Amino acid sequence: REHQSCVLGSARIVKHQLLEFLSPISLHHGANFVAAIAVAWQERRQAHYTKVVPVANTDQQVLVYLVGAIRAMPIDTLVQTVHQVVKQPPPIHGAIKDLLLEVSVLELFYCYMQTNSGPQLVESWASLLILLKDGLTLTPPAQFLMLAILNEFVQKSPPLAEKKDQKDLQDITAKLVESCSQIAGACLEQTTWLRRNLAVREEEPSTAPIPRDKDGTGM
């Protein structure tokens, strides 16, 4: 709140100085910067949080605002950096217990997408497509987040102009839906041998990615 003061002085001046300090870090050490924000994101998550599609709390919304306020990292650059963090996570020293970096960074990015307009999202489509394709090899929680990210893109963005982009969108949608369906199916079991009723398994499903062929389809 820029009209309020804090122990360091005017909130507006403090915010400006923080952004001036963080912008060069995000520019030259993007993966480490985004990974650090993702760790802070998980630290600010409420206890016993179980939602698959994230809803940012007040403390997490500050992180979304922080990332959006750094001009050195527009959305296309952010998508490429998120992809880098997911594909080759930087080492995290003294990280919190049970840290799933790929899940936290995708939750952060999903909430960040909600603050962008449709045309802004379209500008990042080429980079987003690469991220979504590699998402097919990630753990089940990350794949469901990828599907949520894709849904956010489809709901907010205007139709893609190029036919190739439209086909790519259809292909990645089909593959993500199929992969998430396989994950959901793996969590079901038949209740009795007489009836084909299905119920959710009580034990926790494996977080390992489902093996896939070279063409990206299931085994």
Side-chain angles (χ1 to χ4, degrees), residues 63-135:
L63 298 176
V64 175
Y65 169 80
L66 174 63
V67 174
I70 297 179
R71 296 182 179 180
M73 186 169 282
I75 183 169
D76 188 63
T77 302
L78 179 60
V79 174
Q80 296 177 34
T81 308
V82 168
H83 179 230
Q84 185 179 352
V85 172
V86 168
K87 193 170 184 179
Q88 296 179 330
I92 305 295
H93 301 288
I96 59 179
K97 185 180 179 181
D98 299 328
L99 172 66
L100 293 176
L101 184 60
E102 62 184 28
V103 172
S104 294
V105 74
L106 291 175
E107 287 181 345
L108 170 67
F109 177 64
Y110 171 78
C111 293
Y112 171 82
M113 286 182 68
Q114 296 177 325
T115 66
N116 286 260
S117 64
Q120 288 176 313
L121 296 179
V122 170
E123 292 177 2
S124 66
W125 168 242
S127 300
L128 183 60
L129 178 61
I130 298 174
L131 173 64
L132 293 171
K133 286 181 177 180
D134 280 353

